[in-house]
């Protein structure tokens, strides 16, 4: 996996908005009222990982790997942003 700084840079670029705006949006996702959504994303990540363990078709593996990577990036960005806010 690429270093965290590269992931965040890619997230900011793909969002097509300022870094400050994206950080404030992600920071809101770290608030308690969004915990059900975070749990939903974590569940999707768990299911993508299960698919990776059980699938045999290359296309299914490729798709599940892509989903897992994207969900990991999103959850990691939320976690890092929340950690910076707690400091």
């Amino acid at each position: 996996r690429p270093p965290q700084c590269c992931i965040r840079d890619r997230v900011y670029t793909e969002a097509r908005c300022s870094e400050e705006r994206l950080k404030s949006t992600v920071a809101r996702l770290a608030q308690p009222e969004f915990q059900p959504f975070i749990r939903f994303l974590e569940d999707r990540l768990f299911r993508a990982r299960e698919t990776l363990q059980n699938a045999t078709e290359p296309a299914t593996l490729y798709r599940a790997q892509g989903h897992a990577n994207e969900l990991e990036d999103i959850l990691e960005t939320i976690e890092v942003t929340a950690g910076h806010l707690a400091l």
Side-chain angles (χ1 to χ4, degrees):
R1 290 186 48 102
Q4 179 62 31
C5 62
C6 296
I7 292 169
R8 277 183 273 144
D9 291 344
R10 187 185 64 133
V11 169
Y12 297 137
T13 302
E14 290 177 359
R16 297 184 186 143
C17 65
S18 71
E19 184 175 334
E20 284 184 27
R21 183 170 182 199
L22 185 60
K23 281 183 179 180
S24 70
T25 301
V26 172
R28 284 193 298 269
L29 290 173
Q31 298 300 313
E33 63 266 19
F34 284 100
Q35 286 307 302
F37 179 65
I38 300 301
R39 284 192 300 276
F40 168 78
L41 293 176
E42 290 168 341
D43 181 62
R44 294 292 300 230
L45 177 57
F46 178 79
R47 288 192 280 157
R49 287 177 176 161
E50 276 188 330
T51 300
L52 284 170
Q53 291 175 345
N54 299 320
T56 56
E57 293 289 320
T60 302
L61 290 166
Y62 181 77
R63 194 169 38 251
Q65 183 64 51
H67 288 147
N69 287 341
E70 290 301 320
L71 289 165
E72 287 170 353
D73 289 352
I74 292 167
L75 289 166
E76 196 168 331
T77 300
I78 293 168
E79 183 179 320
V80 167
T81 301
H84 287 306
L85 294 174
L87 297 177

